[in-house]
Amino acid sequence: MQDELLTIGRFARMCRLSVKQLRHYDETGLLAPVRVDTNSGYRYYAPEQARDALTIALLREMDLPLAVIAQALAAEPGRRAQILRAERDRLAERISRDQARLEMLERVAEGGLPGYEVTLGREPERRLAVARAVCTPAEIGDKVGECVGRLLPVLGKTGIVWEPPLWGLYPLDLEERTEIAVGAQTPQGEGLPGLEFEVLPGGLVAETTHIGPYAQLPLAYNALFATVHERGLRPQAPVREAYLVGPAEAPQGELVTRLVVPVQESMA
């Protein structure tokens, strides 16, 4: 049987892998040799293991984690396809985030930090019908869409009249898991399944307006919070976004979002 097996060096060359990689795959349980010599510790592989080894190399080139590759190799074909599609979606989401960062960096590189006019004013009390969600910072865009998809049908079904625009409510600090909400201002209606009401108190606020994609909102927040701190004010939650012109009304470059941060005079 040993005559039919390949040394780790020959097998590595056959599969375009390094000996170090094969040892690591063995140690992690991803690809074990057919035989290990008890005296010398030499590893031997069967030629039919080449397909798995080449597949591992291909998937690693695509930056899939070893744990995911192990799951895919051990799964039956249908389940394997599900695992790989999930990784495809993860990669697509990462690429989308990176593209947004590239565009934002290019904007800053070409013209420096954009100039935003930040003003202080007084905001009236607002009563909102809200739909809530808990998510990671990377999921906020999708969860906002889901909240809108839950909120508007309930308002329409119950005949609750609301006043545009829609509002997004966010904490001051975006933690690993954070609660967000989407609200519509309305003077009427009571709590219903999937629908709550929240009163936002009026008072002193700092605000600015962002024109462009939501992915570039951090530029506006940079200017907004810098001004708040420079003036010795204390920001209060929730941070509010009013979607004056949304994706259904204009292309990404023409979206208009009003950013509002309640503030208090510093006691220091």
Side-chain angles (χ1 to χ4, degrees):
M1 179 180 177
Q2 183 168 339
D3 292 340
E4 300 172 356
L5 299 181
L6 304 170
T7 64
I8 190 171
R10 285 188 60 196
F11 188 71
R13 289 192 297 274
M14 175 191 295
C15 301
R16 305 177 71 183
L17 293 167
S18 69
V19 170
K20 182 179 180 180
Q21 285 174 306
L22 286 173
R23 287 174 178 157
H24 181 57
Y25 296 163
D26 179 20
E27 292 166 357
T28 57
L30 186 59
L31 183 67
V34 170
R35 178 176 178 272
V36 178
D37 189 286
T38 55
N39 295 319
S40 65
Y42 289 169
R43 295 169 170 86
Y44 295 92
Y45 294 81
E48 55 266 27
Q49 289 182 284
R51 180 177 294 275
D52 280 351
L54 289 166
T55 300
I56 293 168
L58 177 64
L59 296 178
R60 282 299 292 154
E61 182 66 23
M62 298 178 190
D63 203 28
L64 266 67
L66 290 177
V68 173
I69 296 173
Q71 291 178 1
L73 291 178
E76 52 85 21
R79 174 59 182 154
R80 181 180 303 170
Q82 291 178 349
I83 293 170
L84 295 179
R85 288 193 183 102
E87 286 302 306
R88 175 203 61 193
D89 294 343
R90 180 187 65 83
L91 179 60
E93 181 182 347
R94 189 181 73 189
I95 291 172
S96 178
R97 291 198 305 269
D98 287 346
Q99 182 61 41
R101 293 186 184 112
L102 282 171
E103 292 172 0
M104 189 159 53
L105 183 59
E106 181 64 23
R107 181 176 174 181
V108 173
E110 285 186 352
L113 286 172
Y116 287 90
E117 181 182 2
V118 178
T119 60
L120 295 181
R122 303 210 59 93
E123 186 77 359
E125 178 180 283
R126 299 183 188 276
R127 182 178 185 270
L128 304 182
V130 299
R132 303 183 190 278
V134 176
C135 61
T136 66
E139 297 169 332
I140 286 179
D142 290 338
K143 290 300 181 181
V144 166
E146 290 179 15
C147 286
V148 173
R150 286 191 280 118
L151 177 64
L152 295 186
V154 173
L155 294 176
K157 184 178 180 180
T158 57
I160 295 176
V161 178
W162 62 281
E163 176 185 336
L166 287 173
W167 291 81
L169 307 180
Y170 306 96
L172 287 173
D173 300 314
L174 298 180
E175 300 177 352
E176 185 174 347
R177 301 292 292 178
T178 190
E179 182 180 280
I180 66 167
V182 173
Q185 184 170 342
T186 176
Q188 62 177 138
E190 300 298 332
L192 295 168
L195 186 65
E196 303 176 36
F197 287 85
E198 178 173 344
V199 175
L200 299 179
L204 184 65
V205 300
E207 65 173 279
T208 192
T209 299
H210 171 73
I211 299 176
Y214 295 140
Q216 295 183 7
L217 279 170
L219 297 173
Y221 275 115
N222 175 278
L224 184 58
F225 280 104
T227 300
V228 166
H229 295 306
E230 286 169 358
R231 297 188 182 184
L233 302 171
R234 291 186 298 158
Q236 305 293 306
V239 176
R240 310 165 190 180
E241 294 179 3
Y243 306 111
L244 304 181
V245 178
E249 305 165 281
Q252 287 288 313
E254 298 175 14
L255 303 181
V256 181
T257 308
R258 178 176 173 236
L259 279 59
V260 181
V261 178
V263 295
Q264 291 184 349
E265 298 284 352
S266 176
M267 301 301 292

